[in-house]
Amino acid sequence: MRAAVTGVTGYVGGRLVPELLAAGIEVRAVSRNPSRLAGRPWVDDVETVEADVADLDAIRAALEGADVAYYLVHSLGTGRTFEARDRRNALTFARAAREAGVGRIVYLGGLYPDVPEGDLSPHLASRKEVEEVLLASGVPTAVLRAAVILGSGSASFEMMRYLTERLPAMTTPRWVENRIQPIAIRDVLHYLVGAARMPADVSRGFDIGGPQVLTYRDMMQCYARVAGLPPRVIVKVPVLTPRLSSHWVGVVTPVPSGIARPLVESLVHEVVCDDKDIERYVPDPDGGLTDVAGAIELALTRIHDGEVTTRWSSASVPGAPSDPLPTDPDWSGGSLYVDERRTVVEAPRDVLWQVIEEIGGQDGWYSWSLAWRFRGLLDRLAGGPGLRRGRRDEHRLRIDDAVDFWRVEALEPGRRLLLRAEMRLPGLAWLELRVDESAAEVTDPGDDGPHPDDAAGGERTYFAQRALFHPQGLLGQAYWWSVAPFHGIVFGGMQRNVARAAEHRAHDATPS
C-alpha cells in the first residue's frame, strides 16, 4: 500500500510518516518545500514530491498511484480569508484525488457539536465544510473528528500549558466549564494509520476522543498535578468574550493571537464524541486509549531526557509521537531559558577536555567562588545537597556521578558533559560543557579568551557552554529573571577561566 501525505511538515503530518512506515505502508511525502524535510531520519525511506494543494496539476501528479491520500492541511486565522482558502484547497484536492484514481482519502478534522447552522465558530465551521467537500468527492473518504489533541507542539495543548504554568490564579470565561473529550496525539496517529485500511464501501465521518470527558478547568488542574504545580485558582467571570479571551491569551502566552483566537472561539462549544463507531474498523490500541494525565505526562517527558536542546522544537525527530519535531513552532514545547557562551581556546582538545572533566569538587567551578559557596549554602538551608558531596574521582567522571549539587546526565568522553542540577530549584536546570570543532572550522565572534602565541604550537579548540533552565510555574519564571543579571559574572567567568586553565596546561606541557 502506498500513502501520499500532505501537510507533512505540520504537527500531525510530520508525526504520521514514521507511524505509516512502521505499519509497512510506503509513503510519498507531499510538500510545497521538500527541503524542509532535510535531516529527518526517515527522509531516505520515503518518496518526496514538491506540490501545493492549491495547484491542481501538481497535486494530481503527486497523488498518481497512491492507494490512500491524507489531507492534513489546515489554515488558522481570523476573518473570512482562511475559510475561503480552505474551501478552494479542499475542492482542488478532492478533484485531484478523483482524477488520479486514489482509493481513499483520510482527513483529520475538528469535533463539532450539533448546533444550528451559523452557530459554529468560524474555525469549526471551516473544518466541517472541508469535511463535506471531501465526502462529496466521489472518493471513499474517512473523516476523523478530534477535539483538543494532547501532545507537545499541538496549539491547543501549548495554550493550556502556558496558561496553567504561568498563572497560579486566573479569571476565565464561562467556557472553562464546557465539557471536552481530548485525545492523545499517539491515539490520533493510531486511528489515522488504521483508517488507511478501511473497506472501500466506508465513506463517512467518525468522532475520535480519549477515554475521559472533562471540563477545560479540570484539564488545567490535571496539567498542574502532572507538572508538579499547586492547584490553580480559577475564577469564572461572564464578561470575557472570545475576542477579549484571545487577547488575554496573547498577553499571557507566546501563542500568536492569530492562532489563539480561533482556538478560543471554538472552546465556546462543548465537544464530546456522539459515537464510537470507529471501533468497528480500527480497534483501540494495545493497552487502551491514553487518559488525560498519561497524555500530559508523555508530552512533558522530553524535559527529563539527556538530549536538551536550545528549544524543545529544535529537537531531532522524536522517538515517540509526543516528542517535539524541528518543524513545531518556536513557541511550542514550554519555556526553556538559555545562557550560551562560546570561545576559542588555544589548547589541544584533550587538554581542554581534561579541565572540563575535572570541574567541581576540589577544583571548583572556575568562576566567582563566593557566589558558588553562597548558592551551596542556600541549597543546604533549603534541604538540598549543597556543595558538600564533592566528586567520586577528581580526574574522571561517569554517567550518574554526583558533582557537588549536579549529577552527570550525559557524557561523551572528549566531547560533551551534561550536568543536571539537583539543588532545590523551582524548575529543571542543566549545565552543558562541550568541546567542538577546531578553530579553522569556526567563525565565531565570541573569541573572548587569552591566546598566548606559543600555546601548544598554536593549536586552537572550540569551547561551548550552555546553562539551561525549564521553569516550573510563575515562581520558576521569577527565579530565572532574578538570577539572569549575574550570569555574566558566574558563567562568563567560568567560560574565561576554563579557557585560561586549558591554555596554561597546554603551555606548561609544551617543550621549551
Side-chain angles (χ1 to χ4, degrees):
M1 176 178 284
R2 176 178 296 143
V5 182
T6 63
V8 73
T9 58
Y11 173 68
V12 175
R15 290 161 170 79
L16 176 62
V17 170
E19 299 297 314
L20 291 171
L21 293 172
I25 299 174
E26 297 179 24
V27 174
R28 179 181 296 159
V30 182
S31 173
R32 288 182 299 176
N33 186 6
S35 64
R36 294 180 62 191
L37 302 177
R40 306 289 185 90
W42 45 258
V43 71
D44 293 333
D45 300 324
V46 304
E47 177 188 0
T48 59
V49 176
E50 182 176 353
D52 190 329
V53 293
D55 185 331
L56 176 61
D57 292 336
I59 196 64
R60 181 173 51 220
L63 299 182
E64 288 285 350
D67 300 294
V68 57
Y70 285 89
Y71 190 70
L72 303 175
V73 179
H74 292 312
S75 299
L76 272 176
T78 56
R80 297 294 172 180
T81 57
F82 86 93
E83 297 174 70
R85 181 168 59 250
D86 271 357
R87 184 185 311 113
R88 289 194 304 270
N89 289 346
L91 286 167
T92 301
F93 184 87
R95 178 180 170 184
R98 182 175 62 252
E99 294 179 356
V102 171
R104 170 168 298 283
I105 294 172
V106 179
Y107 168 59
L108 178 62
L111 186 61
Y112 54 84
D114 183 13
V115 297
E117 186 174 354
D119 286 355
L120 279 179
S121 71
H123 170 61
L124 288 181
S126 178
R127 298 295 181 263
K128 182 180 179 184
E129 184 178 26
V130 169
E131 168 184 327
E132 292 168 348
V133 167
L134 296 177
L135 285 170
S137 66
V139 178
T141 298
V143 175
L144 306 184
R145 310 184 190 103
V148 172
I149 296 178
L150 299 176
S152 181
S154 161
S156 298
F157 177 80
E158 296 299 338
M159 188 171 72
M160 178 190 69
R161 179 210 298 265
Y162 286 114
L163 287 175
T164 309
E165 287 189 349
R166 295 187 173 184
L167 295 177
M170 65 190 90
T171 56
T172 60
R174 286 175 294 182
W175 50 253
V176 77
E177 300 293 356
N178 285 350
R179 296 183 309 145
I180 53 178
Q181 191 167 352
I183 182 170
I185 179 61
R186 59 170 50 194
D187 294 334
V188 172
L189 298 176
H190 170 78
Y191 287 132
L192 284 170
V193 173
R197 295 190 168 101
M198 284 184 176
D201 61 345
V202 176
S203 187
R204 51 162 293 190
F206 298 91
D207 294 349
I208 60 171
Q212 293 171 276
V213 176
L214 68 174
T215 66
Y216 200 86
R217 175 202 294 267
D218 293 337
M219 193 163 62
M220 286 194 290
Q221 297 290 21
C222 183
Y223 182 97
R225 287 195 301 274
V226 174
L229 299 169
R232 296 352 233 166
V233 177
I234 301 174
V235 179
K236 181 182 67 174
V237 295
V239 295
L240 286 177
T241 65
R243 179 187 295 270
L244 288 175
S245 298
S246 63
H247 288 309
W248 169 65
V249 170
V251 170
V252 174
T253 82
V255 180
S257 59
I259 294 176
R261 183 173 175 183
L263 294 177
V264 168
E265 288 174 341
S266 299
L267 290 172
V268 301
H269 304 296
E270 289 201 334
V271 281
V272 178
C273 297
D274 288 333
D275 59 63
K276 210 178 178 188
D277 291 353
I278 188 73
E279 288 182 333
R280 295 167 54 189
Y281 306 101
V282 185
D284 287 349
D286 294 340
L289 298 170
T290 309
D291 63 14
V292 172
I296 293 172
E297 186 173 2
L298 287 169
L300 299 182
T301 51
R302 184 73 186 187
I303 294 169
H304 299 286
D305 73 21
E307 298 302 315
V308 182
T309 55
T310 302
R311 56 183 172 87
W312 303 129
S313 54
S314 69
S316 60
V317 169
S322 301
D323 286 348
L325 281 179
T327 49
D328 289 346
D330 291 350
W331 43 262
S332 67
S335 300
L336 182 67
Y337 296 118
V338 181
D339 181 279
E340 186 165 10
R341 299 170 191 274
R342 300 174 295 174
T343 192
V344 175
V345 184
E346 295 205 21
R349 295 174 62 94
D350 60 333
V351 174
L352 175 58
W353 176 252
Q354 184 181 22
V355 174
I356 290 173
E357 194 173 13
E358 293 177 355
I359 203 164
Q362 292 182 5
D363 286 342
W365 293 91
Y366 292 92
S367 66
W368 190 14
S369 60
L370 179 62
W372 284 93
R373 288 198 297 269
F374 181 68
R375 184 64 183 86
L377 176 61
L378 290 179
D379 189 55
R380 290 190 63 178
L381 291 174
L387 300 176
R388 58 186 170 179
R389 296 189 305 191
R391 296 171 47 115
R392 174 191 60 85
D393 186 302
E394 292 302 316
H395 303 289
R396 295 289 179 266
L397 288 175
R398 298 179 302 191
I399 290 179
D400 207 37
D401 273 0
V403 184
D404 295 327
F405 44 37
W406 302 88
R407 178 78 59 180
V408 178
E409 185 161 285
L411 179 66
E412 299 173 41
R415 182 176 179 272
R416 177 175 179 254
L417 171 64
L418 181 68
L419 302 171
R420 184 185 71 250
E422 292 191 336
M423 74 276 284
R424 294 301 179 95
L425 288 170
L428 300 169
W430 297 265
L431 178 62
E432 182 185 55
L433 306 175
R434 219 171 51 243
V435 179
D436 281 345
E437 302 89 353
S438 66
E441 299 170 309
V442 175
T443 55
D444 175 59
D447 186 0
D448 58 359
H451 309 300
D453 292 337
D454 58 347
E459 185 173 353
R460 310 174 82 190
T461 304
Y462 187 54
F463 173 41
Q465 171 187 302
R466 291 195 302 169
L468 306 104
F469 181 66
H470 176 77
Q472 185 179 40
L474 189 61
L475 183 59
Q477 302 278 342
Y479 173 82
W480 172 262
W481 294 113
S482 67
V483 300
F486 302 101
H487 286 173
I489 299 173
V490 176
F491 295 122
M494 178 186 296
Q495 180 79 13
R496 291 187 296 272
N497 292 330
V498 165
R500 286 195 183 103
E503 289 172 344
H504 290 159
R505 289 193 190 187
H507 182 267
D508 293 342
T510 302
S512 52

